[in-house]
Amino acid sequence: MEMTEKKRILDAICAAEREAAGLLLHAHGVLAECKTGHRDVVTAYDRQVQDLLLERLSAACPGARFFCEENDRHDDLNAEHLFIIDPIDGTMNFVRGLNHSCISVAYRHSGTLEAAAVCNPYVNELFTALRGGGAFLNGRAIHADPAPLSETLVCCGTSPYREDLTAETFRLIEAAHRASLDVRRQGSAELDLCSVAAGRAGAYFELSLSLWDYAAGCLIVQEAGGLCTQLDGSPLPFDGSKPAVLAGGPQAWADFREHIVR
């Protein structure tokens, strides 16, 4: 796919995310509805943001298909033009007023991730990447930290919808805490991946993530010179399954695999 066409689509994604950001910034009276359980919630704003993104991206790329968190919009993952959307990643943060959530969109062309953008409206940060074109924060190039795990922070998620993973998650958190400067659990997988890409954190892991939780961040990390894989080091699937994810700068990723995973 030509870089100019990828850039055109990325520009459309960024414009749609900036427009949708206003919905989050002006949200009031937020009410949460339970989906699969009391920790898995959705709001009217999730649906409004998703609807806006669908409308704008359909216009920018006629005939495109969509794989989205809300409204069960799960089109063919092998479509020629596919957008993977998480309208609000960090919904519980959004509901509780923690102001640490983002809008995430990845674009996949014939089975290959080509463009991605993650917008954090609360601090006016827009992370972007094009395959083969590098990763950026508000237009400035970013790079994963080359330092070893011992000299970096580790971000993590606790897979709150999977209580069967709690014990192993906290075993890994304790081991990561001992092997690094400290551990952070912030409640947005995509923003944690972007922290790795920007060199703010050396590594990030979570034992169960949906595709919309990691698609955009995965490309941003890779284009920033980091690694984003399954916990066992194998490539991440794009089949709708929910893998364990590990991302990091090259050395921190390797250190985590060697000293933490077992």
Side-chain angles (χ1 to χ4, degrees):
M1 188 177 190
E2 293 185 0
M3 188 65 74
T4 53
E5 178 62 9
K6 288 192 284 190
K7 179 66 164 57
R8 184 190 70 81
I9 290 175
L10 179 60
D11 287 345
I13 293 171
C14 292
E17 289 189 350
R18 290 190 184 100
E19 183 178 354
L23 295 174
L24 273 65
L25 291 174
H26 296 99
H28 62 279
V30 178
L31 298 176
E33 305 168 27
C34 292
K35 294 195 292 185
T36 62
H38 72 286
R39 290 174 172 168
D40 185 12
V41 298
V42 64
T43 72
Y45 288 96
D46 293 82
R47 299 187 180 103
Q48 290 173 28
V49 169
Q50 183 165 297
D51 288 346
L52 187 154
L53 294 173
L54 289 173
E55 181 178 347
R56 299 294 184 266
L57 297 175
S58 293
C61 189
R65 312 299 289 176
F66 296 88
F67 192 85
C68 310
E69 179 171 13
E70 310 305 342
N71 301 334
D72 295 322
R73 182 70 184 265
H74 297 168
D75 289 346
D76 181 11
L77 285 168
N78 295 311
E80 181 181 6
H81 302 282
L82 178 74
F83 291 95
I84 302 167
I85 296 175
D86 193 341
I88 303 179
D89 183 48
T91 301
M92 189 62 76
N93 285 351
F94 176 66
V95 170
R96 304 304 300 181
L98 287 175
N99 292 351
H100 188 77
S101 307
C102 66
I103 302 163
S104 170
V105 179
Y107 168 71
R108 203 166 182 238
H109 180 259
S110 299
T112 300
L113 279 178
E114 297 287 2
V118 174
C119 175
N120 180 349
Y122 300 105
V123 291
N124 191 31
E125 290 190 337
L126 180 65
F127 296 87
T128 59
L130 289 172
R131 179 169 297 281
F136 298 84
L137 167 56
N138 292 346
R140 299 180 64 179
I142 54 175
H143 305 282
D145 192 340
L149 189 68
S150 61
E151 297 176 12
T152 68
L153 294 172
V154 175
C155 291
C156 67
T158 53
S159 305
Y161 315 149
R162 290 283 306 277
E163 292 188 2
D164 59 308
L165 298 176
T166 299
E168 177 62 7
T169 292
F170 280 90
R171 182 194 73 78
L172 291 170
I173 289 173
E174 181 179 359
H177 171 70
R178 296 181 183 280
S180 68
L181 294 176
D182 205 349
V183 175
R184 298 288 184 269
R185 198 278 193 244
Q186 301 177 100
S188 168
E190 292 284 19
L191 288 178
D192 283 344
L193 288 167
C194 289
S195 289
V196 170
R200 297 168 177 173
Y204 161 76
F205 76 92
E206 188 156 2
L207 297 187
S208 178
L209 284 180
S210 295
L211 179 57
W212 47 73
D213 292 320
Y214 64 80
C218 176
L219 182 62
I220 294 169
V221 167
Q222 291 171 344
E223 287 298 319
L227 297 168
C228 191
T229 66
Q230 295 192 67
L231 196 65
D232 64 8
S234 62
L236 283 168
F238 283 80
D239 58 5
S241 59
K242 298 182 179 182
V245 174
L246 173 63
Q251 189 58 55
W253 181 93
D255 291 346
F256 197 101
R257 290 273 304 120
E258 180 178 358
H259 301 297
I260 308 300
V261 178
R262 70 181 186 198

